[in-house]
Amino acid sequence: MNYSIFLFLAAILSGFALIQVPLAGTFLASLAPFTTVVGLLTILIFSLVIIYKGFRHLFNK
């Protein structure tokens, strides 16, 4: 079994968590746009990696 897929799924979930984290009213409020961008990039990159690995696995059989 390929356990890296579960790691990629965990990274996608952490990207969603970065997007949803409430930073308003804290000293980290100035980092809110940065965490949103990092979260979106994390979701996109790891989703594309999972799609790539799926296609590669599909066409190697």
Side-chain angles (χ1 to χ4, degrees):
M1 178 176 243
N2 194 355
Y3 292 105
S4 64
I5 297 297
F6 294 119
L7 182 64
F8 297 150
L9 287 173
I12 292 171
L13 288 175
S14 68
F16 280 114
L18 275 175
I19 291 173
Q20 296 296 323
V21 67
L23 295 177
T26 66
F27 67 96
L28 297 173
S30 62
L31 294 178
F34 177 72
T35 59
T36 303
V37 170
V38 170
L40 287 173
L41 287 175
T42 302
I43 293 167
L44 287 174
I45 290 170
F46 286 106
S47 295
L48 290 174
V49 168
I50 289 176
I51 291 169
Y52 170 74
K53 283 186 164 281
F55 277 130
R56 201 174 81 192
H57 181 73
L58 182 67
F59 291 122
N60 281 340
K61 294 276 176 173

